[in-house]
Amino acid sequence: MLQAFLAALLPVLGLFSDTEEFPMPSAVQNLYEVCNETFSSSAVPVPPQRAIQRLRSVLDTIKPVDVGLNEDVFENDHGYGFFGPSLWRGRHSRIVARWAAPVTYLHLYECDRFSIGIFCLPASAVIPFHNHPGMTVLSKLLFGSMYIKAYDWVDPINTETNSNPSQLRLARLEVDNVFTSPCDTSVLYPTSGGNIHSFRAVTSCAVLDVLGPPYSDIEGRNCTYYSEYPYSSLPDDGNTIPDDDDQGCAWLEEIKRPDEFIVRGAPYKGPQIEA
Ligand SMILES: *[C@@H]1O[C@H](CO)[C@@H](O)[C@H](O)[C@H]1NC(C)=O
Ligand SMILES: *[C@@H]1O[C@H](CO)[C@@H](O)[C@H](O)[C@H]1NC(C)=O
């Protein structure tokens, strides 16, 4: 607002001959402002569709350079550092190393209504199945190829009051695809669009995530991790789904956060957000 006002005023004052000398807000600043309008109230669980579509189209235009990234971010320093050599030894070292390739998180912004951040994955890194309780999440693949598998609960209401001690819950497959940049921004919702997902980096890749609202242990939006089991591997506990509709269903079991899943923070080096 103030910038627009100054941009209009300064040529009049003869200080600048044209507006080009007055810098446009960065793509990231624009993203922040649209997020701020989209997630305007923590009282509204999911923003209206037209607001989500607008935010989605803003994310669609964001390029790695807009967030200070280039694709050799991994070559420069081995993806912000792998394990020390000791973990690479031993019979199963190759498996350990593949699974444990650490993920790097670049934090851009967080308030109580939304957060913005970037996950950088070296090739073959995995972000295991995890949920986004009560959240809307927009994900823009900035570069590279990523295999995404995502489920929604078959019965989301029972999920809240699940009394099953084994913590096994029936989920329906929503996404099962390799995505290669450039591709459209994907959106997941509290009970649709694949709220429980896992990422596997086919090549090194980076994904820009907007979470509204962010995770919060205090407000009950904990991040829970899961293992998947084929639907046919376990007896159904009743009449949850008709026999002919079990395509793409699986059981998800709550697990503790896998030790091998390592996320490291690194400084964000792109244009800063001014809130
Ligand atoms: C962000 O949103 C809040 C709440 O809707 C509003 O008060 C504030 O002015 C907004 N800030 C910016 C920079 O747009
Ligand atoms: C969420 O995390 C908080 C803090 O760690 C914990 O007290 C609470 O029991 C957790 N809730 C669930 C549902 O796991």
Side-chain angles (χ1 to χ4, degrees), residues 29 32-33 36-37 39-41 113-114 274-275:
Q29 183 66 26
Y32 160 78
E33 278 162 23
N36 193 48
E37 284 170 34
F39 301 104
S40 55
S41 160
R113 290 173 290 123
F114 63 94
E274 286 169 37

Side-chain angles (χ1 to χ4, degrees), residues 153-257:
W153 299 121
V154 165
D155 188 348
I157 297 171
N158 275 359
T159 295
E160 306 295 330
T161 54
N162 191 302
S163 56
N164 183 351
S166 75
Q167 301 292 322
L168 274 167
R169 297 171 191 173
L170 197 55
R172 180 172 280 117
L173 191 62
E174 279 294 315
V175 184
D176 187 22
N177 263 322
V178 172
F179 292 82
T180 300
S181 177
C183 57
D184 289 348
T185 300
S186 57
V187 189
L188 65 82
Y189 301 94
T191 58
S192 64
N195 187 276
I196 304 112
H197 65 192
S198 77
F199 291 165
R200 183 166 54 77
V202 176
T203 65
S204 66
C205 58
V207 61
L208 173 62
D209 264 0
V210 171
L211 277 56
Y215 287 109
S216 164
D217 289 356
I218 296 156
E219 291 175 33
R221 290 188 303 276
N222 301 28
C223 188
T224 305
Y225 293 87
Y226 300 91
S227 299
E228 61 172 346
Y229 297 95
Y231 178 70
S232 57
S233 68
L234 286 155
D236 200 334
D237 62 356
N239 45 16
T240 34
I241 46 170
D243 282 348
D244 57 354
D245 191 27
D246 62 2
Q247 286 297 310
C249 279
W251 299 99
L252 297 183
E253 182 183 31
E254 211 174 303
I255 55 170
K256 73 173 183 58
R257 184 192 162 105

Side-chain angles (χ1 to χ4, degrees), residues 71-154:
E71 296 178 33
D72 30 283
V73 64
F74 297 100
E75 273 114 60
N76 291 344
D77 63 357
H78 303 282
Y80 297 101
F82 284 98
F83 278 119
S86 61
L87 277 171
W88 292 73
R89 278 190 228 116
R91 232 162 11 119
H92 303 296
S93 61
R94 199 184 294 155
I95 293 159
V96 172
R98 282 172 63 86
W99 166 242
V103 171
T104 303
Y105 182 69
L106 312 177
H107 171 82
L108 275 73
Y109 180 80
E110 178 161 349
C111 64
D112 59 356
R113 290 173 290 123
F114 63 94
S115 68
I116 307 173
I118 298 169
F119 288 93
C120 301
L121 288 77
S124 84
V126 172
I127 299 184
F129 281 104
H130 61 283
N131 66 345
H132 307 82
M135 295 152 64
T136 301
V137 180
L138 293 94
S139 301
K140 162 70 180 168
L141 187 61
L142 293 167
F143 65 82
S145 274
M146 180 183 254
Y147 171 47
I148 302 179
K149 196 167 185 186
Y151 290 96
D152 284 311
W153 299 121
V154 165

